Amino acid sequence: MRCKGWEQEGLLRLLMNSLDPEVAECPEELIVYGGTGKAARDKKSVAQIKERLIRLENDQTLLIQSGKPVGVFPSHPFAPRVIMAGSLLVPAYSDYETFWQLERRGLTAYGQSTASCWAYIGTQGVLEGTANTYGEVAKRHFGGTLRGRWVLTSGLGGMGSAQPLGVEYNGGVVLVVEVDESKVDRRLRNSLCQMKAADLDEALFLVQEAVSRKEPRSVALVGNAADVYREVLQRGLVPDVVTDQTAAHDLLNGYVPAGVSLAEAVRLRVAAPEKYLELSRRCIVEHVKTMMEFMRRGAVVFDYGNNIRHQAAAAGYAEAMTIPGFVSAYLRDYFCAGRGPFRWIALSGRAEDIYTLDEFILTELKDDEEITNWIHFAQARIPFQGLPARICWLNLDQRLCLVDIITKLLREGKLAAPVALTRDHMGAIASPWRETEKMPDGSDAIADWPVLNGLLNAISGASLVSVQQGGGVGIGYSIHAGMTVIVDGSELSRKKATQVTYSDVGVGIIRHADAGYPLAQEISRQYGLNID
Ligand code: NAD
């Protein structure tokens, strides 16, 4: 304990956790995940944030502007200890060219969704969401299971690595194409993927063997997704499901065009960015055309939150936009019901704290099979990265129940240290090609909601509040708010965690109710959130 309170200490531990080599994709460049999603502007900022958090009083608030600490203000104990805004640009300037220029001058940084607000917990963070997405794919297209089905996808980065286990959870077989062999090896080491094929022939043999035995299996293949997808198509094969999780939202830093080696990509990005972008644009059009052809031949195809279809459309292939997005196609009902990715992190660093909480959740929420199945699977298959943590999709009542369980266990001395509660940036996010695509009232691009979400969380007791742009789909395409609250067993922290949980989930529900979803309207009435 280096700080003057558990909120500051907890946030400091989360910052260091995001940059732990076990957790971050490239800690030496402060890159946590998702292309260039960073935990702080630069190394000097990391040192200053650490030093400021250590000195911060329990009635002060630290301000962070795109990863750089810029001031400390007097506030009060119920106020957040840290507030941040990140990657924001005036709307007419919100494009990558402007952003990269300002980034090169050291004036801003890309924060992704959970990188800059230190809520990242490794691949586990998106794993249940990935399992739920494939679960919905199974329900809607394959009678409830992926047994005997195969998925072709790509990208084994921070988030993409959730795909092998996400497909296996639903009984299916997955072939993941990844251009960087070191990423493949890392996922094999962490048991996030079962096997690596030597070439496409072996990969397809392993896939077909598991499909015919109806056994879950995950196979990684080193290669460029655009090349491999085309080759699979040319062999006359049609996977049951096709998607992609390269970091295609950033065509300069997150995507490797076919014909360019990894080493050459690193060089060209700096030496000839315009040329690189041109190669990426050309390649992504071919890549998405192949995905479209799979769709025509009967595969289920969707954009998995990396904006790939929009990148292809912007490069001249307008038809790409007929590919559905994963949220509007599969996950919207969860958000209408206020159920989404919630995560808790043991600040003690002890795995036993997470297992203790697992046991209580399995008892208290035993009637919810989705939760109990998930906790059992997570215990058996998901390795911790950095601070032990758990992700679970919970609704408002269940999150409030967890706040009470943690408080009670801390008071009884059954947890070694306080726990951080946080979440992914879903709920009241504005993201017209992802979370808010195809809203019934046409409000897809309205960005008031995440700002309201952030402001409300700031008065409701969050320990950290952030408002950012560009998570998932890239600069210009999303605005979202993050929140973290540290639960330390005190009455003040219980009050803060209860209030902010209610506000944070509530604003997501009313956003969907306001758009006209009957389910969200009903849930909003149940919680007394609506104003009618
Ligand atoms: P990452 O940068 O950690 O990993 C991207 C991976 O793609 C890298 O390993 C890279 O080597 C690989 N790659 C790039 N071009 C390739 C190509 N042509 N062929 C094969 N592999 C290639 O990113 P991440 O954290 O895994 O996120 C992936 C994408 O998903 C991002 O666009 C991110 O914004 C988006 N995302 C989706 C969700 C979701 O819920 N679906 C959540 C967060 C982020």
Side-chain angles (χ1 to χ4, degrees):
M1 179 90 175
R2 292 148 289 187
C3 299
K4 296 182 177 178
W6 264 110
E7 288 190 294
Q8 302 90 308
E9 178 72 21
L11 296 175
L12 176 55
R13 291 186 190 189
L14 294 183
L15 164 65
M16 300 325 293
N17 188 53
S18 324
L19 291 171
D20 187 300
E22 278 274 302
V23 179
E25 290 299 308
C26 185
E28 55 283 8
E29 290 179 42
L30 310 182
I31 291 175
V32 182
Y33 79 107
T36 56
K38 289 171 87 173
R41 182 90 60 91
D42 46 32
K43 290 194 173 141
K44 183 175 166 204
S45 297
V46 175
Q48 285 179 332
I49 295 171
K50 275 167 81 173
E51 191 249 333
R52 283 295 168 167
L53 282 173
I54 289 169
R55 282 169 38 201
L56 199 72
E57 300 290 342
N58 294 317
D59 57 2
Q60 288 183 322
T61 296
L62 170 64
L63 252 63
I64 297 185
Q65 178 258 326
S66 288
K68 178 176 128 179
V70 288
V72 171
F73 284 78
S75 57
H76 50 85
F78 207 82
R81 298 283 70 80
V82 174
I83 55 177
M84 47 171 78
S87 323
L88 289 158
L89 297 170
V90 168
Y93 294 80
S94 279
D95 55 62
Y96 264 115
E97 279 64 34
T98 312
F99 183 80
W100 286 325
Q101 266 180 32
L102 295 168
E103 192 184 34
R104 274 195 289 275
R105 290 166 60 192
L107 298 173
T108 188
Y110 182 57
Q112 253 296 350
S113 299
T114 54
S116 62
C117 58
W118 319 328
Y120 187 71
I121 56 169
T123 298
Q124 187 190 170
V126 80
L127 232 159
E128 196 191 353
T130 308
N132 285 347
T133 304
Y134 284 112
E136 289 298 316
V137 169
K139 271 188 215 154
R140 292 177 203 208
H141 308 287
F142 304 110
T145 175
L146 292 183
R147 216 158 275 281
R149 307 282 174 180
W150 73 288
V151 177
L152 175 64
T153 186
S154 46
L156 280 173
M159 294 289 91
S161 297
Q163 298 180 100
L165 278 184
V167 174
E168 283 187 56
Y169 184 70
N170 290 287
V173 181
V174 59
L175 173 58
V176 195
V177 187
E178 164 59 58
V179 76
D180 181 346
E181 188 156 17
S182 73
K183 302 272 178 173
V184 172
D185 293 339
R186 182 173 175 176
R187 307 316 168 197
L188 292 172
R189 257 194 328 272
N190 293 346
S191 314
L192 287 167
C193 186
Q194 286 179 357
M195 45 187 86
K196 170 164 92 171
D199 52 32
L200 183 59
D201 288 334
E202 191 189 21
L204 291 171
F205 170 79
L206 290 167
V207 164
Q208 275 151 6
E209 183 183 61
V211 166
S212 59
R213 291 183 188 163
K214 293 194 181 340
E215 282 173 6
R217 177 175 286 176
S218 50
V219 181
L221 175 67
V222 179
N224 192 294
D227 286 338
V228 175
Y229 286 22
R230 194 189 54 246
E231 176 71 26
V232 171
L233 186 71
Q234 280 169 354
R235 291 184 186 206
L237 298 169
V238 182
D240 295 290
V241 181
V242 180
T243 187
D244 174 277
Q245 264 203 58
T246 59
H249 69 272
D250 181 345
L251 289 182
L252 182 61
N253 303 300
Y255 186 76
V256 180
V260 176
S261 72
L262 209 53
E264 185 63 0
V266 173
R267 196 190 65 78
L268 264 185
R269 281 169 177 158
V270 180
E274 277 314 317
K275 180 175 170 204
Y276 190 96
L277 281 167
E278 190 43 40
L279 291 171
S280 280
R281 285 190 202 104
R282 255 191 267 154
C283 180
I284 214 139
V285 166
E286 293 311 311
H287 187 154
V288 175
K289 274 186 179 167
T290 311
M291 291 171 72
M292 283 290 292
E293 187 52 33
F294 281 128
M295 194 157 93
R296 275 187 214 104
R297 296 186 189 188
V300 171
V301 178
F302 59 93
D303 176 309
Y304 211 159
N306 61 357
N307 223 11
I308 190 166
R309 61 192 163 149
H310 188 256
Q311 296 284 26
Y317 181 51
E319 216 185 317
M321 292 312 292
T322 53
I323 294 177
F326 80 112
V327 175
S328 59
Y330 301 115
L331 295 182
R332 182 69 41 77
D333 286 354
Y334 279 98
F335 300 137
C336 288
R339 188 162 177 148
F342 200 52
R343 50 184 80 167
W344 48 100
I345 304 164
L347 296 172
S348 62
R350 293 172 50 157
E352 297 77 45
D353 282 359
I354 295 298
Y355 296 132
T356 301
L357 285 167
D358 282 350
E359 290 318 306
F360 274 85
I361 288 165
L362 287 171
T363 310
E364 296 290 325
L365 306 178
K366 63 176 180 308
D367 297 332
D368 192 322
E369 228 180 45
E370 217 173 278
I371 293 174
T372 53
N373 286 346
W374 176 254
I375 297 282
H376 287 306
F377 180 82
Q379 286 182 336
R381 298 290 306 273
I382 301 177
F384 293 133
Q385 286 172 261
L387 288 176
R390 189 66 81 219
I391 181 90
C392 195
W393 281 44
L394 301 180
N395 66 25
L396 176 53
D397 290 333
Q398 293 160 341
R399 293 182 200 202
L400 291 171
C401 170
L402 189 64
V403 169
D404 288 342
I405 291 173
I406 295 170
T407 303
K408 178 172 165 293
L409 290 175
L410 281 166
R411 288 177 183 175
E412 290 170 357
K414 292 184 178 152
L415 297 175
V419 172
L421 295 179
T422 181
R423 58 153 174 76
D424 209 332
H425 290 206
M426 288 167 156
I429 184 172
S431 185
W433 301 125
R434 220 171 102 154
E435 281 83 352
T436 49
E437 181 173 19
K438 294 192 180 146
M439 299 303 266
D441 63 349
S443 61
D444 305 20
I446 297 288
D448 301 332
W449 295 101
V451 176
L452 288 173
N453 187 187
L455 294 171
L456 186 64
N457 284 347
I459 60 155
S460 296
S463 306
L464 176 150
V465 176
S466 68
V467 177
Q468 301 158 217
Q469 88 140 323
V473 283
I475 296 298
Y477 296 104
S478 65
I479 298 197
H480 39 97
M483 83 85 196
T484 295
V485 62
I486 309 293
V487 185
D488 67 8
S490 68
E491 194 45 29
L492 178 67
S493 111
R494 192 195 62 78
K495 244 174 140 171
K496 291 177 85 164
T498 302
Q499 181 59 45
V500 75
T501 300
Y502 183 79
S503 298
D504 189 53
V505 182
V507 72
I509 295 170
I510 61 167
R511 193 273 172 268
H512 289 84
D514 191 70
Y517 285 101
L519 174 61
Q521 289 164 349
E522 174 54 30
I523 303 268
S524 155
R525 266 192 295 278
Q526 276 174 25
Y527 288 122
L529 290 162
N530 58 318
I531 53 164
D532 306 337

